[in-house]
Amino acid sequence: MSAVMTPATTAASSGARGPRLNARYLPLAATIALFLAMALIGSVRYTGFFSAQVFLNLLIDNAFLIIVAVGMTFVILSGGIDLSVGAVVALTTMVFASLVERHGWSPAAAVPVVLAMGLGFGAFMGLLIERFRLQPFIVTLAGMFLARGLCYLISIDSISITHEGYSELAQWRLQLTETASLSLGALIAIAVVLAGIFVAHCTPFGRTVYAVGGSEHSAVLMGLPVRSTLVGVYALSGLCSALAGVVFTFYMLSGYGLHAVGMELDAIAAVVIGGTLLTGGVGYVAGTLFGVLMLGIIQTLISFDGTLSSWWTRIAVGVLLFVFCLLQRLLTRRSGRRR
């Protein structure tokens, strides 16, 4: 005699198996679990690793990368890519240093100018991509070369920032405990992450970004503002890059055309490791934060070890990228079969 499955027995059987984690959360869960595992390994192996300041240093040392990666998250969520972010960071440092040191501007007046410049630069690339249906890879690659070239029109040498008040601001720390503190750059990065989470999940713009990344054609049929959203994500990325450039000057106290070389690759790596699909439509700003922290903790573990070359950081990141790309591919195939 065959048993008849009623709704009650179906619920009971599913309840017996326990709640299942949604497949789209698996990369994020894997990133957080791996970060915690590395933190545990470091705490067990190395004396002094398990301290509040060591973990806060992950935010302090990577504040500019966190800000860039938040902007990159929105671009990749929409199904695009932005290769110009590192060059925009460098251009921002050059313009800012030139305005403050050569033209006598106050840093408070120079910051809004460079932020508007980054916003406009990103919006221009987004307009080209949206209006002429150009490939984001090519447009942002051209933007990268343009921004780097503009740096050398300002100066081929480094421009030091000697403004006394700005130097004091760069060295300022928020004392959390007697032995733990946060820099201004880290606080800005935290604020950007929180703002990014809010925009992504609590605003029409954020929901449209997810819809466009999932299927641009479906988003158009739904009547969503696809065109303005595509321009908006690149404008947001440009703004984040310019803000990261300002934060970068806290570290270097200079502007230079060779600042932030390769930062676009680090940002893309952090976004992917944080669980955002390169095809768009799935991902989380919080995951990007953990992606950056993952890069930071790998470097910290290597520094505490003392016997490994810094190039092992790149090797570890490369391995992680392979693993997470394969994981994304498996999840994409699995969701495709269910449809």
Side-chain angles (χ1 to χ4, degrees):
M1 182 181 295
S2 60
V4 178
M5 295 297 292
T6 64
T9 57
T10 302
S13 61
S14 63
R17 288 194 299 268
R20 287 186 176 181
L21 182 66
N22 192 319
R24 67 174 57 194
Y25 296 116
L26 283 177
L28 175 59
T31 301
I32 296 175
L34 189 56
F35 175 79
L36 294 176
M38 287 186 172
L40 180 61
I41 291 171
S43 301
V44 171
R45 281 194 71 176
Y46 306 115
T47 303
F49 188 93
F50 188 72
S51 68
Q53 192 59 54
V54 168
F55 290 98
L56 289 176
N57 284 342
L58 297 179
L59 291 172
I60 295 172
D61 296 339
N62 298 283
F64 51 88
L65 181 57
I66 291 172
I67 298 170
V68 169
V70 168
M72 184 70 77
T73 303
F74 282 90
V75 173
I76 294 179
L77 279 174
S78 70
I81 200 76
D82 189 353
L83 300 179
S84 69
V85 292
V88 173
V89 169
L91 179 60
T92 300
T93 65
M94 286 296 286
V95 173
F96 182 84
S98 178
L99 290 176
V100 173
E101 292 299 316
R102 294 184 173 180
H103 301 282
W105 285 40
S106 165
V111 168
V113 171
V114 294
L115 292 182
M117 178 195 70
L119 179 70
F121 193 88
F124 174 70
M125 291 190 298
L127 186 63
L128 291 178
I129 292 168
E130 186 279 322
R131 180 63 59 88
F132 300 103
R133 311 309 296 176
L134 300 176
Q135 288 296 320
F137 182 91
I138 298 300
V139 173
T140 59
L141 181 65
M144 179 182 73
F145 286 127
L146 176 60
R148 288 285 178 192
L150 290 173
C151 290
Y152 296 107
L153 284 181
I154 299 172
S155 174
I156 60 174
D157 299 316
S158 174
I159 303 175
S160 298
I161 300 174
T162 59
H163 190 280
E164 184 177 352
Y166 197 76
S167 299
E168 292 177 357
L169 192 65
Q171 297 171 3
W172 178 85
R173 292 291 186 273
L174 174 65
Q175 206 68 33
L176 301 178
T177 66
E178 292 183 359
T179 58
S181 61
L182 275 176
S183 66
L184 177 60
L187 293 174
I188 294 173
I190 293 171
V192 170
V193 170
L194 294 176
I197 292 173
F198 175 79
V199 171
H201 301 289
C202 302
T203 66
F205 174 78
R207 289 188 287 270
T208 304
V209 170
Y210 278 97
V212 171
S215 173
E216 183 176 340
H217 180 67
S218 298
V220 171
L221 294 178
M222 292 168 62
L224 297 175
V226 172
R227 301 177 67 178
S228 60
T229 300
L230 287 174
V231 176
V233 292
Y234 289 95
L236 179 60
S237 180
L239 177 63
C240 287
S241 299
L243 180 58
V246 174
V247 172
F248 200 80
T249 60
F250 292 161
Y251 295 83
M252 308 304 294
L253 287 177
S254 67
Y256 190 33
L258 291 178
H259 280 334
V261 171
M263 186 180 290
E264 58 278 351
L265 303 181
D266 290 332
I268 293 170
V271 173
V272 173
I273 292 173
T276 299
L277 292 183
L278 281 171
T279 52
V282 177
Y284 308 93
V285 175
T288 295
L289 171 63
F290 277 97
V292 175
L293 295 180
M294 181 74 71
L295 304 185
I297 201 168
I298 290 172
Q299 191 169 2
T300 302
L301 286 170
I302 291 172
S303 298
F304 267 83
D305 184 272
T307 62
L308 297 175
S309 167
S310 60
W311 287 106
W312 278 98
T313 303
R314 296 297 179 186
I315 294 171
V317 172
V319 172
L320 281 177
L321 276 175
F322 277 127
V323 171
F324 276 87
C325 285
L326 287 173
L327 179 60
Q328 288 185 4
R329 185 61 178 169
L330 291 174
L331 292 177
T332 303
R333 285 184 176 181
R334 188 176 177 183
S335 61
R337 288 174 183 172
R338 287 180 176 177
R339 291 174 187 172

